[in-house]
Amino acid sequence: MKKHFAKLLFAVLLMAFIVSLSTNDVSAAGKKNVTILIDPGHGGPASVATNLGACYAGLQEKNLTLATAAALKAELEKYGNVTVYLSRNADVAVDLKQRINLAKAVGADAVVSVHFNASTNHLMYGSEVFVPCGALYSQGASLGNSIMTQWNLAGMVNKGVKTRIGKSGDYYGLIRHGASAGIPTIILEHGYLDNYHDLTKLDDALDWQKLAVLDAQGIANYFGLKKGKTQALVSPKITVTNKTGIVVDDLTPPALAITIDSYNVATGEVNYTLTGLEPESRLYLYGVSIAATVDETGKPVPNVNDLTLWGNGNTVKGKTTVPAGYRGPVYAYVFNNFNLSSNMATAYVGM
């Protein structure tokens, strides 16, 4: 059964790739004008949960996306050689395929979908961009990286420019429809509404305006647009090497081990070293605790209230404080930037 499913999934992905190969590649052609469709994610009556998007701290994603997208349109229109449309300009529900149909109708060179994030465990934070997995990967990833560069300069936590695979090719329907239409379509996840690390940068109109300016600068840099200036021709600047076949996401969790370097039984200070392994993507966030619980899948995990950025390399040195005189386990785990967690690593102190 598993082999049959794997063959079927491969066939579907291959068909999606072949379809995307048949679409127009606008990356090399200079144009007098580029057209961008800005897509405010979600929208529509609150009676349908998916219309709302993420809802935390009194905020509804559908409202934030509309405000940010409107500000992005206004900012991008300060540049020459560009025409900008919105897929919705009010709190209305718009089908994903309708959004791409509009992009086709206006001759869009790219679709940029504005979103905000949330996680099941409310521990995640950071900004990420999802891009097409097939023949439009290079264009999507280049545009996504250009925007991510601006986010990084503004101090936003980089969670990566990545693909996500589903049963029919690209997991996200908007990206999938965009690929079928030959239009590079990307999803901007600006940050997590349910985590304080990001929320303070996302929760008011001034923040949404700042995000719009960053997004517009990234789009302009990719297409070579100049603020207040019309050029003879502009064209996308491809910076990500084109890939052959489907660019898959990371489906393998990272590995982790913890070593106790020192333990002061009188003060409870524990110094530790974490050693992680993540060959497919990168190590991202980790947590350490003396208490453990199980997640929604029944997997044992440390019971932590916050996660710490991993940094660079395969090792991290850190310290935590346990009750003085404590004797027992210290637990740790790590997430990669695809939200996949390692098995719980365990070491012991005072024993």
Side-chain angles (χ1 to χ4, degrees):
M1 183 67 181
K2 289 183 178 179
K3 288 184 178 180
H4 176 72
F5 177 76
K7 289 181 179 179
L8 179 61
L9 177 58
F10 177 78
V12 170
L13 293 175
L14 182 61
M15 288 180 65
F17 177 59
I18 291 172
V19 168
S20 65
L21 279 177
S22 66
T23 58
N24 294 327
D25 183 355
V26 299
S27 62
K31 301 184 68 174
K32 292 183 178 180
N33 192 78
V34 296
T35 300
I36 308 296
L37 179 72
I38 306 299
D39 173 52
H42 305 284
S47 56
V48 181
T50 54
N51 288 347
L52 300 175
C55 297
Y56 291 94
L59 301 170
Q60 293 182 350
E61 184 183 359
K62 66 171 183 173
N63 297 328
L64 274 63
T65 62
L66 185 58
T68 305
L72 172 53
K73 180 177 185 293
E75 181 66 23
L76 197 54
E77 287 175 335
K78 296 176 183 178
Y79 291 81
N81 303 90
V82 64
T83 303
V84 189
Y85 294 90
L86 291 175
S87 64
R88 66 179 180 95
N89 54 20
D91 184 17
V92 295
V94 183
D95 178 79
L96 297 180
K97 195 166 186 179
Q98 288 178 323
R99 299 174 194 231
I100 297 301
N101 285 342
L102 174 59
K104 289 168 62 178
V106 301
D109 295 294
V111 175
V112 178
S113 189
V114 175
H115 285 262
F116 295 84
N117 223 333
S119 64
T120 302
N121 60 16
H122 310 304
L123 293 173
M124 298 296 164
Y125 54 95
S127 306
E128 58 192 342
V129 183
F130 289 97
V131 303
C133 68
L136 296 178
Y137 171 80
S138 179
Q139 293 159 269
S142 297
L143 176 56
N145 273 305
S146 186
I147 295 171
M148 181 64 78
T149 296
Q150 299 305 309
W151 290 356
N152 292 345
L153 292 173
M156 297 165 69
V157 175
N158 180 355
K159 202 177 175 187
V161 175
K162 63 190 77 169
T163 64
R164 186 176 179 186
I165 304 299
K167 294 181 180 179
S168 302
D170 285 297
Y171 173 86
Y172 293 106
L174 189 75
I175 294 179
R176 192 167 61 249
H177 293 312
S180 295
I183 305 172
T185 301
I186 66 174
I187 294 175
L188 307 182
E189 293 284 5
H190 288 91
Y192 286 77
L193 298 180
D194 60 339
N195 190 287
Y196 77 94
H197 284 281
D198 286 341
L199 183 58
T200 56
K201 300 176 183 178
L202 306 174
D203 62 352
D204 63 34
L206 183 59
D207 292 328
W208 309 329
Q209 177 62 42
K210 289 178 180 177
L211 293 174
V213 171
L214 297 174
D215 295 350
Q217 184 66 66
I219 294 169
N221 287 350
Y222 170 69
F223 282 102
L225 308 178
K226 303 293 184 182
K227 185 172 280 190
K229 181 179 180 181
T230 300
Q231 304 170 77
L233 292 174
V234 294
S235 61
K237 308 297 185 286
I238 299 297
T239 57
V240 174
T241 302
N242 197 29
K243 304 288 184 178
T244 300
I246 301 298
V247 181
V248 298
D249 51 354
D250 188 348
L251 300 177
T252 306
L256 183 70
I258 180 172
T259 302
I260 304 301
D261 299 324
S262 65
Y263 173 48
N264 187 320
V265 67
T267 65
E269 183 176 283
V270 179
N271 289 278
Y272 58 80
T273 298
L274 301 179
T275 303
L277 179 64
E278 178 48 85
E280 294 181 76
S281 52
R282 61 186 172 90
L283 300 166
Y284 183 54
L285 297 169
Y286 70 91
V288 176
S289 174
I290 62 171
T293 183
V294 294
D295 64 14
E296 65 276 7
T297 68
K299 182 179 181 179
V301 295
N303 187 10
V304 298
N305 296 319
D306 197 11
L307 293 174
T308 304
L309 281 170
W310 181 272
N312 298 319
N314 292 327
T315 61
V316 165
K317 287 188 176 293
K319 65 180 178 180
T320 188
T321 302
V322 303
Y326 173 77
R327 299 176 185 275
V330 178
Y331 304 111
Y333 69 162
V334 65
F335 288 88
N336 65 17
N337 61 319
F338 287 84
N339 290 3
L340 299 174
S341 68
S342 67
N343 287 327
M344 189 167 66
T346 308
Y348 293 87
V349 296
M351 300 179 70

